[in-house]
Amino acid sequence: MTKSKTLTLRERIQAQYAALSLVDRKLADLVLAREKDLLAYSATELAALAGVSKASTARFFKRLGFADFQAFRQHQRNGALQPSPLSRMAQQGTSASPLQHHMAQDVQQLQALAGSVTDASVLQAARLLAGAPRVWVVGYRNGYMAAFYAQALLSQLRAEVHLLNEGTGEDAELLAEIQPRDVLLAMDFRRRTRRLSQVVGIACDAGAALVLVSDARVSALAARAQALFICPPLDEPIFDSYVSAISLINFLATATLAQLPKKARARMAAIEQVHAQLADLEPPL
């Protein structure tokens, strides 16, 4: 199994995830969710957190290609830290046309998105976003930009669209309002904060459906999603690009509009009337 030695832990799990048993998937989801902190746990502690036996934990790591749990721990110690803009600066080469190269990378992301998103998944997400009593949107760090954009678009189409991490410090008060049949639209991009998994867990436990926009095909969050959209990042640029995520959010808003055309039209007309009364917008050039 020489080739597997070069794979990261996440790649090993992704390669086998579809074939894993329910017990192994519990461990896989836990390991992916706590990837940064795995060295802090013993095999017994991981087994307890996943709700499985220690023997099942040992078999899980052997399935991934490790001789035992200690071999797995050594692999983690030897592994590289999660890529950061600083680390990627050192890997940058030169390009004859930097702008053209940059644009080509964005095109590559959009093409990857187009190849992975299906009409069925868009329809499912649009129906959830249109039919829910309330839509909650959340995103931290770089995900905040995408969350803000999603809330701005969806709130033009329907009422009761709320940004969970709006900066007022009332996260707990807002989370306590989530009810069954609500929808949580979450942005899950690297470098992740632990808060996102906590918020998703609370919302899902309260009965909300999860629409997830992520750069990770396999994760504890992805396993809970009713609709999942993958916007994989490129490792070459210094800064991650979110062009595919923004394009996807725009498209999801358009698909949601198609689910409630009369209500959305009436709401948008009312909003335009208020803008006219306020005279707050600059006239077209």
Side-chain angles (χ1 to χ4, degrees):
M1 200 169 176
T2 305
K3 186 177 180 181
S4 68
K5 293 181 181 179
T6 65
L7 298 177
T8 66
L9 175 64
R10 180 171 292 272
E11 289 168 339
R12 294 186 190 212
I13 293 175
Q14 288 175 336
Q16 300 191 44
Y17 193 85
L20 294 179
S21 66
L22 291 177
V23 170
D24 283 346
R25 286 194 180 192
K26 287 183 179 181
L27 282 161
D29 292 342
L30 175 69
V31 165
L32 290 171
R34 307 199 178 202
E35 189 173 359
K36 290 183 182 179
D37 308 310
L38 287 174
L39 288 174
Y41 298 101
S42 67
T44 302
E45 289 170 332
L46 284 176
L49 287 169
V52 303
S53 68
K54 188 175 178 180
S56 295
T57 304
R59 287 193 295 270
F60 170 74
F61 287 109
K62 284 186 177 181
R63 175 189 276 270
L64 294 183
F66 302 105
D68 52 29
F69 185 73
Q70 291 306 315
F72 158 73
R73 286 174 64 88
Q74 188 59 49
H75 176 272
Q76 288 301 101
R77 289 192 187 98
N78 296 339
L81 295 174
Q82 189 178 24
S84 68
L86 179 62
S87 66
R88 290 198 290 266
M89 280 181 66
Q91 302 167 9
Q92 283 290 295
T94 58
S95 173
S97 177
L99 177 59
Q100 291 298 320
H101 185 61
H102 172 82
M103 298 297 289
Q105 289 173 333
D106 278 355
V107 169
Q108 183 180 343
Q109 277 200 314
L110 289 168
Q111 289 174 334
L113 177 69
S116 65
V117 174
T118 65
D119 292 340
S121 62
V122 171
L123 180 60
Q124 182 180 20
R127 286 174 173 171
L128 287 170
L129 293 169
R134 288 177 293 189
V135 173
W136 305 89
V137 189
V138 66
Y140 294 95
R141 295 175 59 85
N142 289 335
Y144 181 82
M145 167 186 63
F148 183 89
Y149 182 56
Q151 192 274 340
L153 294 186
L154 292 173
S155 63
Q156 295 181 59
L157 311 179
R158 52 157 297 161
E160 297 287 354
V161 181
H162 306 281
L163 189 63
L164 269 175
N165 53 319
E166 58 183 9
T168 61
E170 296 184 341
D171 297 34
E173 288 83 353
L174 293 172
L175 284 167
E177 294 184 19
I178 297 179
Q179 300 292 324
R181 296 182 54 243
D182 285 355
V183 167
L184 177 65
L185 174 57
M187 309 298 160
D188 173 38
F189 303 129
R190 69 183 189 186
R191 311 170 71 197
R192 291 169 172 78
T193 172
R194 294 186 181 91
R195 174 62 68 90
L196 181 62
S197 60
Q198 296 171 334
V199 167
V200 169
I202 291 170
C204 290
D205 290 345
L210 175 62
V211 177
L212 183 66
V213 180
S214 177
D215 59 13
R217 292 188 179 278
V218 179
S219 70
L221 299 187
R224 304 195 73 163
Q226 281 69 46
L228 173 64
F229 300 95
I230 303 300
C231 302
L234 300 176
D235 288 330
E236 184 180 346
I238 294 176
F239 301 108
D240 285 337
S241 171
Y242 300 94
V243 62
S244 60
I246 296 300
S247 180
L248 172 67
I249 290 165
N250 187 296
F251 187 66
L252 286 178
T254 303
T256 303
L257 169 63
Q259 295 297 311
L260 32 76
K262 292 183 179 179
K263 289 184 178 179
R265 186 183 297 274
R267 178 170 175 81
M268 294 169 78
I271 292 172
E272 289 303 313
Q273 184 176 3
V274 173
H275 278 309
Q277 292 171 337
L278 294 173
D280 59 335
L281 299 179
E282 289 281 348
L285 296 176

